[in-house]
Amino acid sequence: MKGIRVRSKVWLEVDGTPFLGDGRERLLRLIFSTGSISAAAREMGISYRRAWAQLESMEKLLSYPLATREKGGARKGETVLTTEALRLLERFDTLKKGVREFVDDKFEEFH
Amino acid sequence: MKGIRVRSKVWLEVDGTPFLGDGRERLLRLIFSTGSISAAAREMGISYRRAWAQLESMEKLLSYPLATREKGGARKGETVLTTEALRLLERFDTLKKGVREFVDDKFEEFH
C-alpha cells in the first residue's frame, strides 16, 4: 500500500454533549496568553459574542468557572483562567499527545 | 469533575486526502455482506451513484481495486470485496479498537 496515513481526533463530552475539542482548546489557550476574551476571539477570527458563548456553554456543562476577571494587581481587568481550566487543558493535552503517539505507532502497520 | 467522557475518531488518508472513515468502512462492510453496491447504498440511505463514486475514489487513491464482479459460480453477478479490501478493513478495525481501548484507559483520568 502506498503512503497511507492514520489521522485522529479527540474531544471531550459531558452527558453526550461535546464541550472541548481543538477549537475550544485553542480559545482557552489564547485567553490564557492574551488575558482577554476579545483578543482571543480576534485571533481566532470569531466574534466576541461567539467566544463568550463558547466559554459560557463549557462552564455550564462543567458547573465551574473556567475564566475570571482579575479584580486587582498588575493584571487588573484581565481575564485569567482558573486553576480548574489550566488542569483541564493540561489533561486534554496529555490525552491528545498520548493518542497521537499511539496512532503513530499503529500507523507503521499501514505501509 | 462530573461525567466527562473522552471521544475519538480515526480515519485514513493518502497524500492528505481522507479516504476511509466510519462511513466508508460501513459501505465496504455492507457491500461485503450484501454482495451488491445498490443494496449497500440503500441500507446506508445514499444513492447508488454516490456509493459507487465513493468506492471509485478510494480505489483511485489506493491504486488497486477494492471490489470486483463475480464472473461465475454461485455468486455470479455479485460484487465481492478483494483480498486487499478485506485486509484494509481488518487493519482499520484493529486500529480503531486499539485507539478506543487506549482512550478508555485515559478516560479514567477525567473523573
Side-chain angles (χ1 to χ4, degrees):
Chain A
M1 295 190 202
K2 66 161 194 181
I4 297 183
R5 290 218 50 173
V6 180
R7 297 291 311 275
S8 65
K9 200 181 165 76
V10 183
W11 68 96
L12 303 181
E13 294 185 357
V14 169
D15 300 333
T17 305
F19 76 95
L20 187 65
D22 293 342
R24 288 177 179 195
E25 182 196 15
R26 194 169 161 236
L27 175 66
L28 290 176
R29 290 195 184 281
L30 283 168
I31 292 172
F32 175 74
S33 59
T34 62
S36 150
I37 297 175
S38 57
R42 210 177 309 128
E43 187 78 26
M44 290 192 73
I46 61 174
S47 66
Y48 171 81
R49 181 184 283 273
R50 186 157 172 208
W52 193 87
Q54 287 187 357
L55 193 59
E56 201 201 18
S57 82
M58 283 189 267
E59 290 180 334
K60 219 173 215 166
L61 278 166
L62 291 166
S63 314
Y64 57 75
L66 292 170
T68 53
R69 284 266 190 168
E70 283 291 330
K71 297 247 165 55
R75 304 192 61 185
K76 190 181 171 186
E78 283 188 25
T79 299
V80 294
L81 296 190
T82 60
T83 312
E84 288 80 5
L86 294 173
R87 192 157 155 263
L88 182 69
L89 282 177
E90 199 191 322
R91 285 173 161 190
F92 187 59
D93 197 50
T94 304
L95 174 78
K96 275 172 59 174
K97 275 187 187 140
V99 171
R100 211 177 306 133
E101 272 165 31
F102 180 81
V103 162
D104 285 347
D105 287 348
K106 284 279 170 187
F107 147 67
E108 296 299 326
E109 288 176 25
F110 282 92
H111 276 265
Chain B
M1 296 191 201
K2 65 161 195 181
I4 297 183
R5 289 218 50 174
V6 180
R7 296 291 310 277
S8 65
K9 201 180 164 77
V10 182
W11 68 97
L12 302 181
E13 294 185 357
V14 169
D15 300 333
T17 307
F19 76 95
L20 188 65
D22 293 342
R24 288 177 178 194
E25 182 196 14
R26 193 169 162 236
L27 175 65
L28 290 176
R29 291 196 183 280
L30 283 169
I31 293 172
F32 176 74
S33 59
T34 62
S36 152
I37 297 175
S38 58
R42 209 177 309 128
E43 187 78 25
M44 289 192 73
I46 61 175
S47 66
Y48 171 82
R49 179 185 284 271
R50 186 157 172 207
W52 193 86
Q54 288 186 356
L55 193 59
E56 201 201 19
S57 82
M58 283 189 266
E59 290 180 333
K60 219 172 216 168
L61 279 165
L62 291 166
S63 314
Y64 57 75
L66 292 171
T68 53
R69 284 266 192 167
E70 283 292 329
K71 297 247 163 56
R75 302 193 62 185
K76 192 182 171 186
E78 283 188 23
T79 300
V80 294
L81 297 190
T82 61
T83 312
E84 288 80 6
L86 294 172
R87 192 158 153 263
L88 181 69
L89 281 177
E90 200 192 321
R91 286 173 163 191
F92 187 59
D93 197 51
T94 304
L95 174 78
K96 276 172 60 173
K97 274 187 188 142
V99 172
R100 210 177 306 131
E101 272 166 30
F102 179 82
V103 162
D104 285 347
D105 287 348
K106 285 279 169 187
F107 147 68
E108 296 298 327
E109 289 176 24
F110 283 91
H111 276 267

